[in-house]
Amino acid sequence: MPDLRLWLKVPPRRDVARRLLPAAAVVLFALVPAVPFFTDPWLRVFFLVGLYVVLGLGLNIVVGFAGLLDLGYVAFFAAGAYLMGILTSPQSPVDLRLEFWVILPLALLLGALVGLLLGLPVLPLRGDYLAIVTLGFGEIIRILLVNLRDITGGSQGLAAIEKPPVPGWQRIDEPWQWYYVILVTAVAVAFLSARLRDARIGRAWEAIREDEDVAAAMGIDTVKYKLLAFATGAAVGSVGGVLFASYIGFINPTSFTLQVSINVLAVVIIGGMGNTWGVVFGAFILIGVPELLQFRETSDVLERLGWLRTALDAPFAALDALAPFGVWRVPEPETWGRLVADKRFIIYGALLVAVMVARPGGLFPSRRRKLEFEAPPPSEVAEPSALAAGGSQ
Amino acid sequence: MSVRPLLEVRGLSVRFQGLLALDSVDMTVPPGQIRGLIGPNGAGKTTLFNCLTGFYRPTGGSILLDGVRIDGMPMHHVAALGVARTFQNIRLFANMTVIENVLVGAHRTIPVGGPDQLRPRRRHEQRLAEVAAQLRGLPGGVVSSLVEIAGALVRPPAWIRAEREAVERARRLLEAVGLRGRENELARNLPYGDQRRLELARALASRPRLLLLDEPTAGMNPGETLAMMDLIRRLREEYGLTIILIEHQMRVVMGICEEVTVLDYGRKIAEGPPEAVQRDPAVIEAYLGTKFARQLRGGHGTP
């Protein structure tokens, strides 16, 4: 069989599914804005979910691939967002009149640079110590944003941030347009991070995650590859920040709290570290569902659950009739969605604990991909001691 | 002594606070030899290995590999110079597949399409290679990192070729140690003996000149032990290796080692052909001298 077939050959059946499913899913996602049911509020929620998919995939490079627990990921997100804000908001002192498409590659660079800056001092740290220092770094960035009033507008923030222009057309502003922007970004990031994972650099990262000392003994420059993991993950976070700032049009430090770092980390962990679909699912559950619960449509649907409320409320009603004081009553069903959304952090916590106990690998643990080569046929003579085999090689 | 020794250890000392783990140890290993390193538990054998791979920085003395000083070098530089090892308590990358473990071992041998690997075919490629060569001076391997990332993302034909060759070589290595057909299994799911063999394949993948084996037959039954001895001998011939192995089973030491170095309490107490060392009074003293030592010896077969 010619060598080329080895890599470019029609993949085995399992791999066809592995390639066709994502393609089919992307086509489905691309059709979403065409469905009349998904009105603008829906598309805005989906944008947010997509943004968290991008951030989750970025953080996954640091946490999932290289095993470096980073609790300050918001710093990179903020770096990108403020780069966009400072360079395009009329409130910032900088007046360069750069367009979104110029700033995007700049954000990649800046993100990588900030990632290196964070990476350098924390290199000797492992595990918990690393988590604490990165957590501090995230907070430092936020406080910087508040205090560098002349540049960042302090707690007032920066407004009227530019939208991306499309040559020969209008600027991207409609929710459906932003939906496509984030869809394309997420697909690109997923594709590129998978390519990194399946290359020498990805194997080096995973080896460092598995056993740093042994990785070094195998000839891997652990310092270099850890820095590269930080820089790559940070670059993705920074791009997410640019998109966010341009989409929202207004940023201030309250958008860049520790909560963002934790949300992104929760998305990665609950979905399943290292798994793209896990991240998509995690973002939908943790970011999308709480928003959807507050929709009017959700209330309308819940309203029809009056019978369930009556059933659940029956014991309380009975108690209420007997007791001399007022007893708690099950609230109206149309408010249930908001109730759950309001309590979402309790639910997050419970969900995280449950996932860690029941499925430490996440809901969708990353399945080991097979290297694409044909498995050799089993040798004709089964050797009782395999050690004695293969002498001719 | 006309041949330059592959490994030369001079006056090597390692002190952990109060404990002198190695006390000015000298050792010279000629190329192509299988050298045994024996001694009672805690004698400093693994400490010596850790110095040879750069994991420990010795507090005194020097280590020369083919005339180049390697003590105090970062581990990955030592590995690049051709030192590979296996571990007493198997340390595979448990959550990676069998072939990925070998590919990590081959890390240094896989070109990533950097300036060194650019094969200029047309004139502009020649020019590109010159520019790349000038950029190599940049600090911290910035260029090589960028080239590696770009290569992994774009996957030009040269990249695919390099990766394919690496995979094929990894498969041949797996076949050589008898793990054919297990490529896509997770390393942690392999039975014990196979894990030892995988460690060996992973170490070989880095194209070592000096291979350090830390108790390669630990926990193996007599049949497996014989097969492993066979394999070690064969690998030495095939890959032109120099091997140092730590071993507790005297049968293995006598069977495959050409010379033996004996450590006790961090000191070298004997060295020479296995038969001579076996009769050496100092060695007998170290192993059997007291009743206590005799009891200890019972534990040697199963560490």
Side-chain angles (χ1 to χ4, degrees):
Chain A
M1 183 166 292
D3 284 342
L4 215 69
R5 291 264 300 168
L6 214 58
W7 277 77
L8 305 177
K9 70 183 159 68
V10 185
R13 215 172 295 138
R14 207 186 78 82
D15 290 343
V16 171
R18 212 187 56 187
R19 284 179 184 192
L20 282 186
L21 274 179
V26 169
V27 169
L28 271 183
F29 285 143
L31 290 177
V32 161
V35 180
F37 175 77
F38 293 118
T39 49
D40 283 359
W42 283 88
L43 293 178
R44 286 200 191 94
V45 170
F46 290 153
F47 175 85
L48 209 59
V49 171
L51 180 66
Y52 269 85
V53 170
V54 171
L55 296 178
L57 289 171
L59 183 63
N60 187 46
I61 294 174
V62 188
V63 179
F65 294 174
L68 305 161
L69 185 50
D70 182 354
L71 288 183
Y73 196 63
V74 68
F76 313 131
F77 182 54
Y82 269 86
L83 183 73
M84 185 68 200
I86 290 167
L87 290 183
T88 66
S89 167
Q91 285 157 10
S92 90
V94 184
D95 190 17
L96 285 179
R97 305 215 157 271
L98 291 181
E99 283 294 3
F100 176 88
W101 304 111
V102 182
I103 295 171
L104 206 58
L106 285 182
L108 265 174
L109 270 177
L110 177 76
L113 217 71
V114 177
L116 284 180
L117 269 179
L118 165 67
L120 276 173
V122 303
L123 272 176
L125 304 177
R126 294 184 188 187
D128 313 348
Y129 303 99
L130 177 68
I132 288 171
V133 173
T134 51
L135 190 144
F137 187 77
E139 280 299 283
I140 288 171
I141 293 281
R142 191 181 59 80
I143 291 166
L144 265 180
L145 296 179
V146 176
N147 288 330
L148 291 175
R149 211 160 295 142
D150 298 339
I151 307 169
T152 65
S155 45
Q156 312 279 291
L158 298 164
I161 296 168
E162 291 276 7
K163 307 284 176 187
V166 179
W169 204 43
Q170 75 224 54
R171 283 173 185 271
I172 291 173
D173 201 9
E174 298 286 314
W176 69 267
Q177 295 161 348
W178 275 110
Y179 175 87
Y180 281 117
V181 170
I182 206 70
L183 180 65
V184 169
T185 313
V187 170
V189 171
F191 177 72
L192 295 177
S193 84
R195 285 210 144 180
L196 286 179
R197 181 198 61 198
D198 294 340
R200 192 181 89 141
I201 187 171
R203 291 191 297 262
W205 282 337
E206 292 188 29
I208 290 170
R209 179 193 70 202
E210 294 290 306
D211 193 328
E212 198 173 328
D213 296 331
V214 177
M218 295 300 133
I220 291 170
D221 185 346
T222 52
V223 168
K224 178 175 132 185
Y225 282 97
K226 279 157 80 174
L227 282 178
L228 282 179
F230 271 121
T232 316
V236 175
S238 179
V239 166
V242 170
L243 292 176
F244 173 76
S246 182
Y247 166 78
I248 292 280
F250 163 74
I251 50 172
N252 72 0
T254 53
S255 304
F256 306 99
T257 56
L258 174 64
Q259 191 59 50
V260 177
S261 296
I262 293 177
N263 282 349
V264 179
L265 190 65
V267 162
V268 174
I269 290 177
I270 287 187
M273 261 188 250
N275 187 324
T276 305
W277 293 113
V279 171
V280 173
F281 185 79
F284 190 78
I285 291 290
L286 293 186
I287 309 299
V289 170
E291 297 289 331
L292 295 182
L293 282 175
Q294 301 178 56
F295 270 30
R296 257 191 56 122
E297 287 94 329
T298 315
S299 311
D300 292 348
V301 172
L302 288 171
E303 216 169 359
R304 288 178 222 151
L305 293 177
W307 55 272
L308 184 62
R309 185 204 172 222
T310 317
L312 288 175
D313 198 41
F316 294 104
L319 209 62
D320 197 39
L322 297 172
F325 47 84
V327 169
W328 182 81
R329 307 293 298 269
V330 176
E332 296 300 322
E334 56 267 30
T335 65
W336 288 0
R338 183 168 293 280
L339 269 178
V340 173
D342 287 348
K343 308 282 183 294
R344 66 170 173 270
F345 292 116
I346 298 177
I347 298 171
Y348 278 16
L351 204 58
L352 264 176
V353 171
V355 166
M356 285 296 101
V357 171
R359 291 183 72 107
L363 292 178
F364 300 96
S366 78
R367 236 177 299 142
R368 300 309 304 182
R369 67 273 172 199
K370 284 189 172 181
L371 280 178
E372 287 172 26
F373 58 80
E374 264 178 86
S379 52
E380 291 78 37
V381 189
E383 303 260 359
S385 167
L387 274 178
S392 58
Q393 294 293 320
Chain B
M1 286 298 287
S2 56
V3 194
R4 171 150 78 165
L6 182 76
L7 178 73
E8 209 176 342
V9 177
R10 291 193 202 128
L12 193 72
S13 298
V14 174
R15 182 183 283 283
F16 299 117
Q17 272 126 34
L19 178 79
L20 198 56
L22 285 178
D23 187 359
S24 52
V25 172
D26 296 302
M27 184 163 87
T28 304
V29 184
Q33 193 183 57
I34 298 183
R35 168 69 60 99
L37 188 59
I38 65 170
N41 287 335
K45 305 181 294 288
T46 300
T47 306
L48 179 56
F49 268 23
N50 283 335
C51 290
L52 294 181
T53 53
F55 187 57
Y56 290 159
R57 181 186 287 269
T59 39
S62 60
I63 304 168
L64 285 91
L65 183 78
D66 208 10
V68 179
R69 255 190 98 154
I70 58 168
D71 51 288
M73 262 191 192
M75 275 168 103
H76 62 274
H77 285 174
V78 177
L81 287 173
V83 180
R85 72 172 291 183
T86 66
F87 297 84
Q88 185 182 357
N89 47 338
I90 300 170
R91 286 171 79 173
L92 290 169
F93 304 119
N95 292 311
M96 299 175 79
T97 62
V98 166
I99 196 158
E100 280 173 334
N101 267 272
V102 181
L103 287 171
V104 170
H107 182 83
R108 288 257 155 199
T109 69
I110 304 175
V112 290
D116 303 337
Q117 288 94 33
L118 213 63
R119 283 172 223 160
R121 250 174 248 126
R122 270 161 269 147
R123 199 177 306 142
H124 75 273
E125 288 183 358
Q126 178 66 44
R127 178 87 195 96
L128 206 66
E130 281 163 21
V131 172
Q134 282 164 6
L135 287 174
R136 282 190 62 201
L138 275 180
V142 173
V143 172
S144 72
S145 301
L146 287 176
V147 167
E148 174 156 15
I149 290 181
L153 295 182
V154 179
R155 307 206 163 174
W159 185 95
I160 295 180
R161 205 182 310 127
E163 187 77 5
R164 198 182 59 220
E165 277 163 17
V167 168
E168 270 160 22
R169 200 167 76 85
R171 278 179 56 196
R172 282 201 301 276
L173 280 167
L174 285 172
E175 195 159 343
V177 300
L179 285 174
R180 180 185 173 137
R182 320 291 293 267
E183 285 88 350
N184 288 317
E185 284 179 44
L186 282 190
R188 64 149 156 231
N189 292 342
L190 288 186
Y192 180 83
D194 287 350
Q195 293 199 354
R196 283 231 170 269
R197 275 173 241 168
L198 177 53
E199 260 210 331
L200 202 54
R202 184 180 66 177
L204 288 171
S206 64
R207 296 212 173 101
R209 287 188 286 172
L210 178 64
L211 180 61
L212 309 174
L213 305 175
D214 200 340
E215 299 198 27
T217 67
M220 287 189 169
N221 66 33
E224 289 174 327
T225 304
L226 276 178
M228 180 56 94
M229 286 165 67
D230 222 51
L231 178 65
I232 292 171
R233 252 190 243 114
R234 213 180 61 223
L235 292 175
R236 188 252 309 250
E237 303 307 328
E238 270 168 41
Y239 297 95
L241 295 168
T242 307
I243 297 174
I244 305 178
L245 56 103
I246 294 176
E247 193 46 78
H248 280 304
Q249 295 194 49
M250 278 306 139
R251 212 158 46 106
V252 177
V253 177
M254 297 298 145
I256 59 173
C257 296
E258 279 130 16
E259 275 194 285
V260 178
T261 302
V262 191
L263 293 180
D264 190 24
Y265 293 111
R267 270 173 213 275
K268 185 170 86 175
I269 57 168
E271 192 166 64
E275 302 77 25
V277 164
Q278 208 172 17
R279 287 191 301 269
D280 192 307
V283 177
I284 297 169
E285 163 88 28
Y287 272 89
L288 309 167
T290 66
K291 228 161 106 186
F292 191 60
R294 200 187 302 269
Q295 284 171 351
L296 265 182
R297 194 194 175 214
H300 286 161
T302 51

